[in-house]
Amino acid sequence: MARLGEIIYESQIWKSIFRHPMPVDRRNRIVVMLTNFFLHLHPVSIKKQGIALSYTWCMGGVTFFLFLVETVTGVLLMFYYRPTLEWAYNDILALRDIYSLGIMREIHRWGAHAMVITVWLHMYRVFLTGSYKPPREFNWVIGVILLLLTLLLSFTGYLLPWDQLAVWAITVGSNMARATPILGHEGPGHQFLTLGYPMITSGTDARFALLGARNVGEETLNRFYILHCIAIPLAVSLLLAIHFWRVRKDGGISGPL
Amino acid sequence: MHGISPQQFAGSVASFLWPYYLALAAMNGIFAYYLWQKSENRPFFSLPTPGFAFRFTPALLWTIVAIVYVFLASLAIGAHLESMPQVPQGFRDFVNASSKATIYSLGTTAVLVVLYLFRSWFVRPMVAWSIWNLMLLFLGLSMPDPNFFSIVAKPDNVPIVALVFLLAFFTWLAAYRAVENDRRMDEGLPPVEKLDDEKVLVWPDLVYTEMICMIALSAVLIFWAIWLQAPLEEPASSVKTPNPSKAPWYFLGLQEMLVYYDPWMAGVVLPSLIIVGLMAIPYIDFNKQGNGYYTIRERRFAYITFQLGFLELWVTLIVLGTLLRGPNWNFFGPYEYWDAHKVEALTNVNMSEYFWQYWLHRSLPTAPPNSTWSTQLGYILLREAPGIILVLGYFIMLPPLMAVTVLRRYYQRMGFIRYMVLANLLLFMAALPIKMVLRWTINLKYLIAIPEYFLNF
Ligand code: HEM
């Protein structure tokens, strides 16, 4: 066994992938952090309290992990799901009753709920440790945008099963947009936007822009699908990269001065 | 429960309860073992029995509790509702009869205030652990109630139940550390976080922690996914409106606000202000202390404001909106059947009606028929003048007033712009509870009611 390990670790293939020996001694434990793409997100060494679970609750990390889980299970679900009125519901039914990968839907859904909770807890801990104070103000702002995007991810995904629960939850949620001041056709002040004829109607207002139609329908499904699977995840990925980079640049996890 | 027989219901309750009680037993067993290992397992009292001293220690207490849970699990496993321990019917009736939106909101506020004031007592591990056990026990004992079960065990509501327990735990953890730090700083010691100043290598210390977290979390997700099927209702239909129609649970705080404010406030303005307000926090909190460690005393104002906003105005409203709002958005007690025909008398009155009709005994000012657009507007403004003056007074008069009184110190330190941002955010935040109280006390509908322009406030 030991010899086999040696053969593998000494092989050209292994060495070409991992650019360092096994991290068993101090030197290589430092090298591994610097030369491995995935690990170089981290610093080489860190204050003990920065990794104390009772301090960080690990909630930022957990949220990130859940985001990855959602990405993987989401891609698998996309293989089986077509965002059209004809197929959406039936594809979900088939995921439940036929496909053996159907459990992905459960993982994806509960993971999404869990992610909303863990983002809140992460924000809660960042607040309670005062970690938004200088120099970390802007990372908090990025965090708030991430929080909003997480909620929107969850909200857009909620529609996709196209069952009663989904459609009415989105209807109730998006009805609010009707009342947007000035821009909603039932919002205060929309009458002032006129060009001789009213500019803001149920066919031109903020809600219409969100739904792509006067009611939650096929256009909405398409819109939410694209937002859910492409637009928002891309935005989140970009902001996460900045978020993590800023954690490092702002001096690592906060601590007493 | 509808559509399933009592046996099936008992079965599904049992299949939740017995693993649940066993988990609680394990939890208490582990805690007792941990206490027993630690040297500071001081007895509550000792009985001088002949031969040996009987010492009633915390470890013994929690061992007994663990055994009780095992016993409860064995009662639940038989899937007979009669033999399952549950909260007494009298208690349930009492809770149902006495729970209302008012009692709920005032009650949670009172609880939070008491927890805050006596935090140094509540964070003590023994006290906190007892409360934790009581919360979990309460959930277990309530499960055999069909109405309670059907709300709490609805698949999409499970996360909220989890959220409540997670928040209880983490609020305790943070408060525990804050109380400890505040005490240390009184004695001139640095906060505990300072003690962990020493640097360690990320590999292995952090990388392994992360890996264990990932494995544990994957396990949780997989168990959750196997245990609970994702909901899928009937195919969408635009004619059959479910009653109640609810937004996803994380927006139910906003939906609950609809009771008090019109959609343009509850659904657009207030949520935007929540986001803006959160982003503004680092720029309006000028307090340099409490950066990088848990403390309450050094940032009392920030702490109280945030907890009020997050725990009280966000989370408890979500719990209310999800678990206690039934058909027609009526309030239902936790053990109450969601009866779609329950009627709640709604006689809400506008400020303008109070002013013109009740106090001046006149009719509301109305523009003469066929009058011009501007005359009509003038009449509307006259009609709503009392409310408009109140609201403008609130937003325009209060900031300078607070600047020279309660918030004087803040104004001096923050400068004009930052102070105005803070003051207005606070006023908007307070606008919700104020409107709630006005609704409960004088049945106020709108302070300003201009349906002609969709502007109701
Ligand atoms: C998708 C959501 C998010 C992810 C994946 C994420 C991830 C992380 C991670 C991994 C860290 C390192 C420390 C830790 O784990 O606690 C961190 C730190 C931080 N996060 Fe987030 N975060 C998210 C959302 C937020 C939100 C909503 C806020 C605040 C409103 C926020 C503010 C911060 C700040 C200020 C830090 C630095 C904390 C310190 O140095 O102690 N993040 N984030």
Side-chain angles (χ1 to χ4, degrees), chain A residues 57-75 104 106-122 150 153 228 233 236 240 244, chain B residues 166 210 213-222 224 249:
Chain A
W57 309 349
C58 201
M59 275 306 155
V62 166
T63 312
F64 181 49
F65 177 65
L66 285 170
F67 180 67
L68 296 180
V69 170
E70 294 299 285
T71 310
V72 173
T73 52
V75 166
M104 288 301 141
E106 270 74 24
I107 298 184
H108 195 76
R109 191 176 188 99
W110 305 138
H113 284 316
M115 189 171 159
V116 171
I117 295 177
T118 58
V119 186
W120 292 0
L121 290 175
H122 173 56
T150 307
L153 261 182
H228 184 75
V236 169
L240 276 183
F244 296 157
Chain B
L166 284 169
E210 287 176 340
C213 276
M214 287 201 277
I215 295 174
L217 200 64
S218 310
V220 169
L221 273 181
I222 291 172
W224 191 357
W249 62 269

Side-chain angles (χ1 to χ4, degrees), chain B residues 24-89:
Chain B
L24 295 191
M27 185 187 86
N28 276 289
I30 293 170
F31 188 57
Y33 180 74
Y34 165 79
L35 287 178
W36 185 57
Q37 293 277 301
K38 280 208 325 188
S39 45
E40 63 209 72
N41 187 23
R42 262 184 286 121
F44 295 123
F45 60 85
S46 316
L47 287 183
T49 35
F52 75 109
F54 174 78
R55 294 160 16 105
F56 191 75
T57 60
L60 184 59
L61 170 68
W62 300 115
T63 312
I64 295 174
V65 171
I67 294 170
V68 171
Y69 277 129
V70 174
F71 179 65
L72 288 178
S74 70
L75 287 180
I77 206 167
H80 290 297
L81 278 184
E82 308 76 52
S83 63
M84 273 184 218
Q86 40 190 300
V87 281
Q89 188 62 46

